Amino acid sequence: MGRWPEFSRSAKLDGIGVSEIIRIGAEARNLAASHDDVISLSAGEPDFPTPDNVKLAGINAISTNQTRYTALDGTAELKAAIRRKFRRENGMDYAENEISIGAGAKQVLFNILMATLNPGDEVIVPSPCWTTYLDMIRLAGGMARVVACSEETGFRLSPEQLAAALTPRTRWLLLNSPSNPTGAVYRAAHLAALGEVLRAAPHVGVISDDIYEHVLYDTAPFATMAATCPDLKPRVVTVNGVSKAYSMTGWRVGYAAAAPEIIAAMAVVQSQSSSNPCSISQVAAIEALDGPQDVIASRRDAFRGRRDRIVAGLNAIPHVHCLLPDGAFYAFADMRALLARPELKRRDIADDAALCRYFLHECHVAIVPGFCFGGPGYLRLSYAASDRMIDDALDRLKTGVNRLLAG
Ligand SMILES: Cc1ncc(COP(=O)(O)O)c(C=O)c1O
């Protein structure tokens, strides 16, 4: 087909592109078309299949014709299952009109921001972070106030940093624990300290992205803001979904719990964009939330083994340093000492993006550069991959680094 020369993109999209992670995934797939040894450690999804009972519930939904439009922001049945989940796992009670369901946590987050931000409104985002947040905030007309959180503070936002970032235009603090990409976890004491700062700023709400709640290796129980600081609950939106906990990334079901007026405003956005989340997926999500939960623990144990394996392997590579993450399925490795080596400078490998290109094209291992998350000098390695793939990738990375240092 020919091109349309008069076409121009809306200015709303200025500076916003398809995510770098998706671009790297596509580059890895292209390379894999001609080489059968490409290993991808770039994916942001569990490599396990959706549990059989959940698949069967989806098949049954099709067979029984549950294939029509549903209530705009989710069926009463799925909302009831989500309310049971919040009660059972987080000790939080919500009414039916305090729940919203969308096509993945991503759409739910988008709805919140579209429904609440006015031009110039600010959202505090601790970084490194999932950079989709920044693009969504911009699309919704707001401004991200990115606060750099270093490895020394466990990549967590401190109460002092929060206090310094607040302005009269701050609308939200956006927290993600466990975090993509660092695996950092906010425990109850961290949240309580942030809550103390927020008590003095009643105009500021919290969006708590809990999507990795069940990929948590900590011995301490999972903590979330609305449960840790119940007095702040009316201004907390808790976001979660079935994607990561139940390996259901393709089914597209995410949800939020919040005050009824926020939920109603989110419904307006969803009503004028996608309408209800997939009817079949909603039935499957009820089975995921209400059915046997042992899959969560067994998969978490598998992820823990892989985490230990990949972090030990990375730390055995010269000039590479990697913290042991407490949650999610990513290792966030510090490559700054390696990048500072003269041997790499001579090869024109000056930053994390160039190092990733080298690993992809010379070692056939796909990894995401840290700059994509606001962490230049780092690499994010997803360990949602088999032990064999992880070992093979580590071998190749080590050989690749040694080759660079010898060169
Ligand atoms: C931090 C974070 N939040 C939300 C999402 C979106 O999840 P969903 O698949 O439910 O849209 C992701 C997916 O990668 C994520 O990493």
Side-chain angles (χ1 to χ4, degrees):
M1 192 174 67
R3 296 177 65 83
W4 179 23
E6 283 76 20
F7 172 78
S8 66
R9 294 191 342 166
S10 156
K12 285 197 292 295
L13 298 188
D14 286 354
I16 299 175
V18 173
S19 105
E20 179 69 11
I21 308 171
I22 291 175
R23 200 196 59 70
I24 288 167
E27 200 177 329
R29 267 193 302 280
N30 279 347
L31 193 69
S34 49
H35 299 81
D36 60 8
D37 63 341
V38 176
I39 299 176
S40 179
L41 300 184
S42 65
E45 59 182 344
D47 54 322
F48 301 113
T50 301
D52 285 342
N53 61 314
V54 177
K55 289 197 269 196
L56 278 175
I59 292 166
N60 191 40
I62 297 174
S63 310
T64 54
N65 296 315
Q66 299 184 64
T67 51
R68 296 173 182 263
Y69 292 134
T70 73
L72 171 65
D73 61 357
T75 62
E77 292 77 13
L78 179 52
K79 287 187 180 180
I82 291 166
R83 291 168 64 199
R84 284 191 287 276
K85 176 261 179 258
F86 277 123
R87 166 110 291 283
R88 180 177 73 235
E89 296 183 345
N90 310 104
M92 298 198 290
D93 284 313
Y94 286 101
E96 185 179 321
N97 67 350
E98 294 175 328
I99 303 290
S100 177
I101 305 163
K106 197 169 193 173
Q107 185 184 24
V108 169
L109 286 161
F110 190 73
N111 290 345
I112 299 165
L113 297 167
M114 284 297 282
T116 60
L117 293 183
N118 285 313
D121 282 351
E122 296 173 11
V123 182
I124 297 175
V125 187
S127 169
C129 65
W130 189 43
T131 42
T132 291
Y133 296 144
L134 310 184
D135 292 333
M136 280 187 182
I137 291 165
R138 199 153 151 181
L139 274 173
M143 279 176 37
R145 201 176 167 95
V146 176
V147 181
C149 304
S150 69
E151 200 172 317
E152 288 66 44
T153 56
F155 296 115
R156 279 182 293 259
L157 179 76
S158 68
E160 295 74 25
Q161 285 177 304
L162 172 59
L166 289 171
T167 77
R169 296 304 307 265
T170 309
R171 196 79 205 264
W172 296 108
L173 161 66
L174 207 171
L175 287 178
N176 172 217
S177 168
S179 147
N180 174 11
T182 63
V185 171
Y186 288 78
R187 300 187 182 85
H190 298 120
L191 295 176
L194 295 177
E196 194 54 47
V197 176
L198 292 171
R199 281 190 188 99
H203 61 295
V204 179
V206 179
I207 300 171
S208 178
D209 180 351
D210 295 358
I211 194 78
Y212 293 99
E213 167 179 14
H214 287 300
V215 194
L216 177 70
Y217 316 111
D218 244 6
T219 43
F222 174 75
T224 189
M225 187 59 98
T228 306
C229 300
D231 59 314
L232 301 181
K233 193 172 162 215
R235 46 170 155 144
V236 178
V237 187
T238 304
V239 176
N240 210 323
V242 294
S243 292
K244 318 281 177 174
Y246 303 98
S247 304
M248 290 178 70
T249 46
W251 297 76
R252 310 311 299 132
V253 177
Y255 52 85
E261 54 275 20
I262 302 178
I263 296 295
M266 290 167 64
V268 174
V269 180
Q270 189 150 301
S271 138
Q272 303 307 347
S273 50
S274 63
S275 287
N276 63 271
C278 169
S279 60
I280 302 152
S281 302
Q282 289 190 69
V283 176
I286 295 173
E287 174 61 22
L289 293 171
D290 280 350
Q293 299 295 304
D294 41 325
V295 70
I296 289 180
S298 61
R299 291 179 178 184
R300 182 182 47 225
D301 289 346
F303 279 133
R304 185 189 282 110
R306 296 166 176 189
R307 171 198 66 163
D308 294 346
R309 200 177 197 96
I310 199 163
V311 171
L314 285 166
N315 283 317
I317 300 175
H319 311 294
V320 177
H321 155 78
C322 186
L323 275 187
L324 193 67
D326 288 323
F329 36 70
Y330 310 105
F332 202 56
D334 184 355
M335 313 303 278
R336 288 173 301 178
L338 178 65
L339 286 165
R341 301 288 308 175
E343 299 88 344
L344 271 79
K345 295 226 165 359
R346 281 202 293 277
R347 293 277 304 257
D348 255 358
I349 299 179
D351 57 22
D352 47 315
L355 192 56
C356 278
R357 280 195 296 277
Y358 170 81
F359 285 142
L360 179 60
H361 292 286
E362 303 298 324
C363 310
H364 291 180
V365 180
I367 300 171
V368 187
F371 88 88
C372 296
F373 308 94
Y378 285 78
L379 302 183
R380 189 196 78 169
L381 298 92
S382 163
Y383 49 88
S386 68
D387 286 353
R388 197 183 50 75
M389 275 165 74
I390 291 171
D391 287 346
D392 199 358
L394 286 167
D395 274 351
R396 293 194 213 170
L397 296 181
K398 193 170 188 173
T399 309
V401 167
N402 283 331
R403 210 182 305 138
L404 281 176
L405 293 173

